[in-house]
Amino acid sequence: MVKVIYEGDDFKRMLRTDLQKLERLVESKKVGIFEVDYKEGKIKVEIKKKGNDIVVKRFRAT
């Protein structure tokens, strides 16, 4: 069974509709960096696999 781990507080503050769009993207088993809606703007999130888990975190270029 695959477990989805959301890292950071950004996902707790997301609107429900935006979070549902992100969950559909995770369910499609896509990995990489994607731009998703966040409140009135957009943010980049990184989706990657770690063993059996899927880790979703906000992408910040350094």
Side-chain angles (χ1 to χ4, degrees):
M1 186 171 161
V2 177
K3 184 171 136 184
V4 179
I5 301 169
Y6 294 97
E7 291 184 355
D9 291 335
D10 297 317
F11 302 107
K12 292 179 184 174
R13 287 183 250 143
M14 269 183 132
L15 297 175
R16 183 172 298 236
T17 55
D18 296 341
L19 189 57
Q20 287 174 342
K21 289 178 189 177
L22 179 60
E23 288 174 350
R24 276 190 239 120
L25 189 64
V26 170
E27 287 175 6
S28 68
K29 298 182 181 174
K30 293 187 177 186
V31 293
I33 299 170
F34 301 96
E35 194 170 88
V36 296
D37 295 333
Y38 184 77
K39 294 185 181 180
E40 295 162 1
K42 292 188 178 278
I43 62 170
K44 289 187 178 182
V45 296
E46 182 179 15
I47 302 172
K48 61 183 175 182
K49 283 191 75 125
K50 217 182 240 187
N52 285 340
D53 300 337
I54 296 176
V55 179
V56 180
K57 67 179 184 177
R58 186 168 181 180
F59 179 76
R60 293 186 172 108
T62 55

